[in-house]
Amino acid sequence: MKRLIPFLFLLAGCGIKANPEVLKAPEVEIRRIGQKVYVRSLSGEVQIKGFERQGDYWVKEEEGPFCFVVERIGESSKKFCVAGALEEKPSLKIEEGEVIEVYASNFEAYRLYNLRDSSLSLESAKTFRESIKLERDYWERCYAITGIRGNVESQPVEFCVKPKPPPTVSEVDGLEIREGRQALYLVWFYGQDYREFIIYRDGKEIGRTTGFAFETEIPKEKTTFTVKVVSPLGFESKGRSVYYSP
C-alpha cells in the first residue's frame, strides 16, 4: 500500500492536459474589380498591410497580380493571391424608353452595381447575362457594369439613366388672408399627403410650416403671397397666390 500511494500522487501531478486551442485563420471574401481589389472579413476583425479600410472592405489599387497577408486580430494570419486586372471591358448598348434595357457583350456574364458618390455599391450587385432591365426613377440614377471572367471582374463601365418627369403636386385649397391688429395670417386647407408648405412674399421665401396657417407682418404696400406644397417625395407644386392691398 505504501508503494501505491506515491504512484497515485504521480498520476495526479501529471494529470490529463487538454490540447492547446488552435488559432483561427482569417476567412475572407476577395473581389478583383478592375484595378482594385476588395477584401471583406467573413469572421472576426482583420488587418491587411498595404490596404485601405473603406467601410466593411479593405481596398488596394494594383493592376498586376500580387499576394498579401491577412492577419486576423488575436489569431493567426494567412496568405492570399489575386490575378491581374483584365484589359478588356464590356461593350454596352442602352435602349431608353419607359423601361431602360441594357445589352452587354464581350463577356459571358456581367455584374451591375449602383454608383453612390462615384463609388461602387458592392452590396447592390446583380449578376446577369446579355441584358438587364432598369426602371426609371424621378431622380437620375448612375450605374456601373463589369464583365466577369473566372473570379475576376473587368474595369467598370459607368452610365447614368435620365429621370422620368416629376409627378404633379396638387395646390393648396382655400388660400386666403386674414388681417389681425398686429399681424397678417395666411390660411389654407390641404387634403393630401405632404411634407411641408413653403411661403413666399413677392417671390422671396419667408418661411416654412407643416400647419395650415402662417403669421407674418402686415405689409405697407401691395404684396403677393404664394404658398407651395412640398410632396412626401420632395417635389414642389407651382404655387397658389393671394394678393394683399393695404
Side-chain angles (χ1 to χ4, degrees):
M1 184 66 180
K2 291 182 179 180
R3 293 180 180 178
L4 182 60
I5 291 175
F7 178 71
L8 292 175
F9 274 109
L10 179 61
L11 288 178
C14 293
I16 300 176
K17 297 182 179 179
N19 291 329
E21 185 176 353
V22 178
L23 296 178
K24 296 179 180 179
E27 299 176 16
V28 296
E29 171 196 22
I30 301 173
R31 300 173 72 170
R32 154 73 82 178
I33 303 176
Q35 296 181 354
K36 292 184 178 181
V37 174
Y38 300 82
V39 181
R40 181 173 67 93
S41 175
L42 300 177
S43 178
E45 286 293 323
V46 299
Q47 288 183 336
I48 312 175
K49 188 176 181 180
F51 281 66
E52 178 184 352
R53 184 69 179 265
Q54 295 181 7
D56 293 334
Y57 288 85
W58 292 84
V59 184
K60 182 175 182 178
E61 187 166 347
E62 178 70 46
E63 185 175 1
F66 68 98
C67 297
F68 57 93
V69 175
V70 178
E71 177 187 356
R72 182 168 177 174
I73 298 176
E75 301 288 345
S76 64
S77 59
K78 187 175 180 180
K79 183 179 179 181
F80 297 90
C81 296
V82 292
L86 297 175
E87 294 184 4
E88 192 175 10
K89 294 182 180 180
S91 294
L92 304 182
K93 177 184 175 183
I94 302 174
E95 293 185 357
E96 298 193 25
E98 294 259 342
V99 175
I100 307 299
E101 190 151 12
V102 182
Y103 296 89
S105 57
N106 296 343
F107 292 82
E108 291 187 0
Y110 307 87
R111 197 157 283 152
L112 173 80
Y113 296 93
N114 293 335
L115 277 178
R116 296 176 183 170
D117 299 326
S118 300
S119 298
L120 298 182
S121 174
L122 299 184
E123 295 77 13
S124 69
K126 295 180 181 178
T127 303
F128 68 96
R129 293 179 180 273
E130 295 184 1
S131 68
I132 188 169
K133 293 183 179 180
L134 303 173
E135 297 290 337
R136 281 189 184 275
D137 203 344
Y138 292 120
W139 296 271
E140 182 181 69
R141 301 294 186 188
C142 294
Y143 303 90
I145 289 180
T146 62
I148 304 172
R149 187 165 293 156
N151 295 324
V152 178
E153 295 179 48
S154 70
Q155 188 74 13
V157 177
E158 301 178 2
F159 65 97
C160 295
V161 173
K162 296 179 181 179
K164 61 184 178 181
T168 301
V169 181
S170 300
E171 304 293 353
V172 298
D173 294 319
L175 176 61
E176 63 179 66
I177 294 174
R178 295 178 184 176
E179 186 173 355
R181 290 185 178 181
Q182 299 181 344
L184 205 67
Y185 301 91
L186 300 174
V187 294
W188 60 86
F189 302 100
Y190 199 71
Q192 302 181 40
D193 292 337
Y194 66 94
R195 180 184 296 180
E196 63 181 348
F197 302 98
I198 310 175
I199 296 86
Y200 297 85
R201 177 173 176 166
D202 290 333
K204 182 180 180 180
E205 182 180 331
I206 58 173
R208 298 185 178 220
T209 181
T210 55
F212 294 165
F214 185 80
E215 178 183 338
T216 184
E217 61 183 14
I218 299 175
K220 296 179 180 179
E221 54 189 15
K222 291 183 179 180
T223 303
T224 301
F225 291 99
T226 303
V227 177
K228 291 186 178 183
V229 183
V230 181
S231 73
L233 292 175
F235 296 103
E236 296 181 12
S237 69
K238 293 181 179 180
R240 179 155 288 171
S241 298
V242 66
Y243 308 97
Y244 173 80
S245 182

